[in-house]
Amino acid sequence: MPGPVTGSPSRRLRRLRRRHLGGGAPAPARPRPQCPWPRPHTGHASSCPPSCPWPLRAASRRRRSSMDVLRPPLIRIGGRVYRKNLIQEQPCPQEEEEEDFYAGPGDCADEPCDAVAVEETERGFQCRLQVPSALYKYIIGKKGETKKRLETETRTSISIPKPGVEGEIVITGQQRSGVVSARTRVEVLLDSFRKRQPFTHFLSLPLNQPAIQEKFLQFKEEVLQKCSQDHGVSSSLFQNPAKLHLTIGTLVLLNEQEIQKACDLLQQCKEDFVDQITGGQPLTVEVAGVEYMNDDPAMTDVLYAKVHMKDGSDRLQVVADRLVERFVASGLMLKEWDRVKLHATVMNTLFRKDPTEERNNTMTGKSSFKERESFNGQNILKLFENFHFGEVQLESVRLSQRFSSDASGYYATSGQLCFS
């Protein structure tokens, strides 16, 4: 048995190592973990050890994460501003990203707010929301998890109608502030998912008068005669002449109540400013010349006819811009551009995918855009730069339904604003 060990602690440790390892050899050094990333680098994998000398170290990652929390994205609903936090979770395949929201300063998530209609009952407080049935699933969440989380965090109960049944969502709770908070979070959640829905309706100005249709068919025939050999040009690219139109803006209307709200707003706009601008008379416009949307005419996706007022005024532009402004303020439309681009699509590569598909140039999805095959529009632009489609009197703005047709071949109309 070894005798007693004397000396300082560090010396005792070294003597013990030599005695147990034998030969007085020093203890083998543990290999230092090596960073698997190329050097130098500014990011790290989960396997990157803490000893990695290259930036970005853990402290830097924490600082960057802290800055993300301090500056979250902001969204506006009904004149109020909210911060949006993304929950950091492991991604699940084919699942939509779950989002969490909380109100910013000056909002009513944590205290009573007169802007939210909450009624007092014998059991506490409650409020009601009109929500389209198509959006119920976003409040419920996978296996009811979103609904349960909202109820737990706000200490409320959320009653949702059965799927497919239009009705009101009722939020009840013991505390008024909890009911207000739950309603606010539901509204922000619904607004986020509503923005992902494909548009169902759009405000349009028909250009399908017989004279315009005849000139458009002449344009189509001459283009195919003179430019059919150009890359990508085919008859399937052309608009349906019965559906020639100007688009003012697109809307997501998910039930009859929202459609009626849009129709009522159109009539209100007529009384408030449209009659004053138009003088209660149709607007005469000239459709002449063609132009392309993208930067390279050799790789064209959309070719459109230009439209301007016959008298040289900007009244049509003013009407369109103010309609969009009013519909955006009502929450029925999203603001996409500072001004409405007045144009009539005559050729669109989206039509190539399926000639029987609805020919509407107002919105394109990412997946559809990837499937596009552009065409060479250089010769068309050169030969038909000043092609005259004719004059037309615009008599109304219509709330048109996507993927539909009426007896004339134009889009089915849910409501309209007549200029005269």
Side-chain angles (χ1 to χ4, degrees), residues 114-184:
D114 295 336
V116 178
V118 178
E119 57 181 304
E120 188 171 2
T121 65
E122 296 180 355
R123 298 182 178 180
F125 298 88
Q126 73 173 17
C127 68
R128 301 173 180 272
L129 293 87
Q130 287 286 348
V131 177
S133 60
L135 299 179
Y136 292 167
K137 60 182 179 180
Y138 299 116
I139 305 174
I140 297 172
K142 183 180 179 182
K143 298 181 179 180
E145 292 177 357
T146 301
K147 178 175 175 289
K148 292 177 183 176
R149 180 164 57 85
L150 288 172
E151 292 176 326
T152 300
E153 295 179 358
T154 60
R155 297 181 181 180
T156 58
S157 175
I158 302 176
S159 176
I160 302 175
K162 294 181 179 180
V165 178
E166 297 295 339
E168 293 180 321
I169 289 179
V170 181
I171 303 174
T172 58
Q174 295 294 322
Q175 301 294 326
R176 188 178 191 274
S177 59
V179 174
V180 171
S181 177
R183 175 179 177 135
T184 300

Side-chain angles (χ1 to χ4, degrees), residues 63-232:
R63 284 196 297 271
R64 186 176 65 177
S65 177
S66 299
M67 297 308 293
D68 292 341
V69 172
L70 292 174
R71 290 197 291 266
L74 302 178
I75 60 175
R76 289 177 169 80
I77 299 179
R80 290 176 283 169
V81 180
Y82 301 91
R83 301 189 188 102
K84 181 173 70 171
N85 287 344
L86 296 181
I87 298 177
Q88 300 298 324
E89 296 179 347
Q90 292 296 329
C92 299
Q94 298 181 348
E95 289 294 329
E96 292 181 328
E97 185 176 31
E98 187 177 5
E99 296 176 330
D100 185 29
F101 302 88
Y102 62 94
D107 294 307
C108 54
D110 299 320
E111 59 183 1
C113 178
D114 295 336
V116 178
V118 178
E119 57 181 304
E120 188 171 2
T121 65
E122 296 180 355
R123 298 182 178 180
F125 298 88
Q126 73 173 17
C127 68
R128 301 173 180 272
L129 293 87
Q130 287 286 348
V131 177
S133 60
L135 299 179
Y136 292 167
K137 60 182 179 180
Y138 299 116
I139 305 174
I140 297 172
K142 183 180 179 182
K143 298 181 179 180
E145 292 177 357
T146 301
K147 178 175 175 289
K148 292 177 183 176
R149 180 164 57 85
L150 288 172
E151 292 176 326
T152 300
E153 295 179 358
T154 60
R155 297 181 181 180
T156 58
S157 175
I158 302 176
S159 176
I160 302 175
K162 294 181 179 180
V165 178
E166 297 295 339
E168 293 180 321
I169 289 179
V170 181
I171 303 174
T172 58
Q174 295 294 322
Q175 301 294 326
R176 188 178 191 274
S177 59
V179 174
V180 171
S181 177
R183 175 179 177 135
T184 300
R185 295 183 64 174
V186 168
E187 287 178 337
V188 179
L189 189 66
L190 292 176
D191 179 75
S192 174
F193 285 108
R194 179 183 283 273
K195 292 176 181 178
R196 306 180 189 182
Q197 305 299 312
F199 77 95
T200 60
H201 296 73
F202 57 100
L203 297 181
S204 71
L205 294 156
L207 295 176
N208 62 342
Q209 288 78 353
I212 298 292
Q213 290 195 48
E214 183 178 350
K215 292 292 289 185
F216 171 78
L217 292 174
Q218 176 187 338
F219 168 79
K220 177 180 178 180
E221 181 180 358
E222 292 183 10
V223 167
L224 292 177
Q225 287 178 351
K226 300 177 181 179
C227 306
S228 61
Q229 300 302 315
D230 294 345
H231 174 76

Side-chain angles (χ1 to χ4, degrees), residues 205-321:
L205 294 156
L207 295 176
N208 62 342
Q209 288 78 353
I212 298 292
Q213 290 195 48
E214 183 178 350
K215 292 292 289 185
F216 171 78
L217 292 174
Q218 176 187 338
F219 168 79
K220 177 180 178 180
E221 181 180 358
E222 292 183 10
V223 167
L224 292 177
Q225 287 178 351
K226 300 177 181 179
C227 306
S228 61
Q229 300 302 315
D230 294 345
H231 174 76
V233 175
S234 70
S235 61
S236 66
L237 298 179
F238 290 85
Q239 174 67 283
N240 180 343
K243 293 189 173 182
L244 288 167
H245 67 278
L246 302 176
T247 298
I248 295 178
T250 61
L251 307 94
V252 177
L253 306 177
L254 300 177
N255 58 22
E256 291 299 323
Q257 289 83 359
E258 293 186 347
I259 295 174
Q260 187 59 49
K261 181 180 178 181
C263 294
D264 293 342
L265 185 57
L266 268 180
Q267 297 309 312
Q268 189 64 45
C269 290
K270 174 179 171 64
E271 299 175 6
D272 291 348
F273 60 86
V274 172
D275 283 346
Q276 181 180 358
I277 296 173
T278 63
Q281 299 295 324
L283 299 177
T284 303
V285 300
E286 185 177 14
V287 185
V290 293
E291 190 57 86
Y292 62 103
M293 282 288 191
N294 51 304
D295 297 329
D296 185 1
M299 299 290 289
T300 301
D301 285 319
V302 176
L303 192 77
Y304 63 90
K306 294 181 286 187
V307 179
H308 60 270
M309 287 288 298
K310 179 67 174 176
D311 61 8
S313 71
D314 64 347
R315 289 186 296 160
L316 178 58
Q317 184 70 55
V318 173
V319 169
D321 290 340

